[in-house]
Every structure is written in C-alpha cells, then in structure tokens.
Amino acid sequence: MNVFFVVGGGNLSAQIAQIALCIGLKREGVTIHLIGRISEEVAEYIKNEDQDIVFYNMYPKGKIDENYIKKFSELIVKHHIELVHFVCGKTSRTGIQALKKFPNIKTVIYYGSASLHWHDPSAYLTYLHPRIDKIIGNSNFVYRHVKKQLFGKRKEKAVRIFKGYSTDWFKGTTPFDYTTLGIPKNAIVVCSIGNHRKVKGTKFFLQASNFLSSEKEIHFVLIGDNTDAPHLSKLKKNSIIKDRIHILGRRDDVPSLLLSCDIYVQSSLSEGFGRAISEAMCLEKPIIMTNAGGCTELIDENSGIIVPLKDYKAIGKAISELANNDEKRIQMGKNAKQRIQNVYPIERTVTETLALYKKLLDA
C-alpha cells in the first residue's frame, strides 16, 4: 500500500500526532511518503524512529501552485501512489488539483474543528471537494458536524477516528522554572494556551481572575500568538490580580510550561479535540474547560471540570476548587493521564486509519 501523507508544517510539538501516525502506519506495512514543510527537528525524529519513511520538503506557494501540482503529479507516478491522506486544508486545495489526472487514487482528509459549512463556496475546494472520498472527524462532535454538511449518500463520506496521543512523547520533557517569571514555588500556576482568536474565548480566562476564592496565591499564565492584543492587555490591567497574570506570547517550550503548571484551562467557544488539552492530560494536569464541543469528550468527571460557555465566574470557581484541594487536583491529573492512555491512545488511531485505507482500496 503506497500512501502520500500530506501535512502542513510546524515544529515537532505541533505535528507529533501526525508524524507518530505516519510511523505507526509504516510499522503496519504501509509505505508512507510524507509531504509538507518538514523541519530539521521533525526530520531527525523520523530518522530516529523509522529511517524508511521518505519525505519531501514541499509546500504550495499560494492557493494554486502549478509547480507544486507538477511535482506532486510526478511523485504520484514515481511511487505508484494508491491513496492520498491530507491533514492540511490549505495544502489539499492545491494537491487535489494534481489528482485530476489520477481518478483511481483514493483520498481522505482530516478535519478537527466545527467551522466547515455546506453553504461556504470555498469548502468545495478542499474538504467538500467531490474528489475527497472520506472526511475524518477527530471526535464525535466534529464527526456529527461534518455529517450535517453532507447530503444524501455523501453523508457516508464522514468517518470518526479519534486523534490519538501517547504519554511517552513527553517523557523527556524538562520542567519549566516558573520562579524566573517571579512566581513563588508554592504558588498555584494555571495555564491556558491558544493562538488568540475570538473562538478561543481567551478573555473569559482572564476575566475569571476576578472571581477566585482561595487563600492560595494563584498565578495565570497565558501562552500563544496575539495573546498580547490590546483588549487582552486591558483585561489584565483591570484584574484584581494583575501582577499575577503572565502573558508569554508564542513559545517553543509549551510542554515544559505545561509540565510545571498545576491546572490547565481551555475557555473556547468551539473546539475540536484540543491539542493543548491532550498534551496537558498526558502531563498529568487536571482540566477545566468550557462546554465547547469535541474537547468535552476528552475528559470525564474524574479528570476535569466542564463549565458553561463564556461563564468566567464558573471558571474562577472551578480554579478555586482545585487550588483549594491538593488531593483532588493531583488525583484528577493522574486520572487525566490514565484516560489518554486507555481511551485515546495513538495505537487506536493507527489501527482505525489502516482499516479505513484498506476499506477504500478494497472497494
């Protein structure tokens, strides 16, 4: 079975689930050819884990890149490709154009949010393109959302395969020293991560700082692109614990920051599975999240707390509850890690993805 696995780009931390899926499929006998912006870090990881995976460092320039299409087509012929697996919407827009010459090649595409809509014309250039055979939703919530955008027999295109993780990926993580930010060692550190967009609900995390009820010293740490936006800085300035809110912006040491925090909070308005949530669970952190969709499937009552959307008072109350109860907080973190290992392991993702490939190629 010869497969093109087409990714976007980013550091290893951002792509680890995708790369691990490639390696798992390779170990199951699939011949994987990886295409995308492959960083030196990712290339080194592939080399250390499985030296037989061939990868091409290529990415389309613009929405339609004729040179990319030509190269993509040449590689399809060279490697006798039978199936293309897109995990990047932007790349699929150009890659699909190359597939016009190869009607027998099967295609699947990964989807992880709830922003796909049948009435959006641009969706038919990527996820809803007629050339796509299967759309993989990474949670029950996303799967149901995708299915609603399809009509008639096309509903069968939607499949659900959970995005798996492995706690082993984080075994070598070095703890971050929060005292370098002026945070005392005995303080409770509450992290939230996400590139700031309205859908991430970042302001509700910051507003929760005004509704804490604890004798413990609680510090908020906010990580991600554009988290220094003026209106967020204003919320920090107006907080009653403004000196205990630390906005760090983009970081390349997110696992280290997560490892050394005490509580992870996701205040999104809509969320797929949530990479940062999964990583925090792998690192034994209890989760507080809004009822934002697929992410709520990650935890149960033993590993986290779900609060209503936009309810910053409830977020503050949940943070206080865990800050005030060391035993509950620590045990919830342990349960979160165990839940990832038992319910959402990468091995399950590999097995179900391979089954999908076989079903398509045997059809």
Side-chain angles (χ1 to χ4, degrees):
M1 188 185 302
N2 296 317
V3 173
F4 264 176
F5 200 92
V6 189
V7 301
N11 59 26
L12 180 60
S13 177
Q15 295 190 83
I16 184 64
Q18 300 168 359
I19 301 304
L21 174 57
C22 287
I23 292 171
L25 290 167
K26 176 65 176 61
R27 289 173 178 164
E28 291 296 323
V30 179
T31 301
I32 293 286
H33 304 274
L34 185 62
I35 297 177
R37 286 178 177 146
I38 313 300
S39 67
E40 290 184 8
E41 183 186 23
V42 171
E44 187 64 24
Y45 182 82
I46 293 172
K47 181 180 178 181
N48 291 338
E49 292 292 323
D50 195 317
Q51 298 182 28
D52 293 333
I53 289 182
V54 175
F55 63 87
Y56 295 91
N57 208 332
M58 50 187 278
Y59 191 86
K61 298 176 181 178
K63 293 181 178 179
I64 299 295
D65 183 338
E66 295 297 336
N67 289 329
Y68 181 91
I69 293 171
K70 180 181 179 182
K71 180 66 174 178
F72 200 97
S73 301
E74 290 173 351
L75 291 173
I76 284 175
V77 174
K78 177 180 178 180
H79 296 295
H80 307 287
I81 297 301
E82 301 168 85
L83 184 147
V84 176
H85 186 155
F86 295 105
V87 295
C88 173
K90 290 181 179 179
T91 304
S92 70
R93 184 170 184 148
T94 302
I96 287 172
Q97 300 303 310
L99 293 174
K100 289 181 177 179
K101 300 177 181 178
F102 307 96
N104 294 326
I105 292 177
K106 301 298 181 180
T107 58
V108 301
I109 191 166
Y110 167 87
Y111 192 69
S113 70
S115 57
L116 182 67
H117 299 289
W118 65 267
H119 50 77
D120 176 8
S122 67
Y124 294 90
L125 300 175
T126 55
Y127 301 99
L128 299 183
H129 194 288
R131 192 64 182 78
I132 297 295
D133 294 302
K134 296 291 182 180
I135 308 169
I136 299 172
N138 69 354
S139 64
N140 286 313
F141 173 76
V142 173
Y143 163 71
R144 289 192 293 267
H145 171 75
V146 169
K147 203 164 186 177
K148 287 180 181 179
Q149 313 314 312
L150 300 165
F151 301 97
K153 289 187 176 181
R154 288 192 174 188
K155 285 186 179 293
E156 297 176 3
K157 288 188 174 187
V159 296
R160 186 217 65 190
I161 299 178
F162 291 119
K163 183 179 182 180
Y165 270 74
S166 171
T167 57
D168 289 343
W169 299 340
F170 305 93
K171 279 185 175 179
T173 303
T174 303
F176 180 80
D177 182 4
Y178 277 110
T179 64
T180 61
L181 301 180
I183 301 176
K185 284 188 175 181
N186 60 346
I188 297 295
V189 178
V190 184
C191 266
S192 186
I193 300 171
N195 297 333
H196 174 56
R197 291 173 289 141
K198 185 178 180 179
V199 72
K200 288 297 181 181
T202 311
K203 69 176 184 179
F204 303 111
F205 171 64
L206 293 176
Q207 287 173 316
S209 66
N210 293 305
F211 297 92
L212 302 175
S213 179
S214 177
E215 294 182 359
K216 301 261 183 87
E217 183 173 333
I218 300 175
H219 286 249
F220 280 33
V221 175
L222 181 58
I223 304 162
D225 285 344
N226 302 318
T227 48
D228 58 350
H231 70 288
L232 296 181
S233 296
K234 185 176 180 180
L235 287 173
K236 172 186 173 178
K237 183 179 179 181
N238 293 335
S239 172
I240 60 176
I241 64 163
K242 61 183 179 181
D243 295 331
R244 287 186 265 150
I245 296 177
H246 312 267
I247 298 179
L248 306 187
R250 182 181 181 85
R251 301 283 297 214
D252 293 324
D253 57 348
V254 167
S256 294
L257 289 156
L258 281 175
L259 178 61
S260 296
C261 79
D262 298 286
I263 301 167
Y264 183 76
V265 175
Q266 193 77 40
S267 52
S268 301
L269 304 182
S270 179
E271 193 74 52
F273 231 33
R275 177 165 63 90
I277 299 170
S278 301
E279 291 182 359
M281 292 175 71
C282 287
L283 293 164
E284 289 194 7
K285 304 305 163 187
I287 308 299
I288 296 170
M289 67 168 71
T290 45
N291 188 13
C295 57
T296 60
E297 298 169 38
L298 277 166
I299 64 171
D300 58 13
E301 66 276 8
N302 298 313
S303 53
I305 300 173
I306 298 172
V307 301
L309 293 176
K310 303 181 181 181
D311 194 339
Y312 46 85
K313 293 182 181 180
I315 295 172
K317 181 180 179 181
I319 291 171
S320 302
E321 178 184 341
L322 294 184
N324 293 336
N325 191 330
D326 294 345
E327 183 178 353
K328 182 176 183 179
R329 184 179 70 251
I330 293 169
Q331 187 58 52
M332 268 195 164
K334 291 180 179 178
N335 293 343
K337 180 178 180 178
Q338 196 65 47
R339 184 167 168 81
I340 284 286
Q341 291 173 321
N342 293 344
V343 184
Y344 304 111
I346 185 63
E347 291 81 7
R348 175 180 178 177
T349 309
V350 171
T351 298
E352 294 182 0
T353 302
L354 180 59
L356 176 62
Y357 287 0
K358 289 180 177 178
K359 182 178 179 180
L360 282 171
L361 293 176
D362 290 344

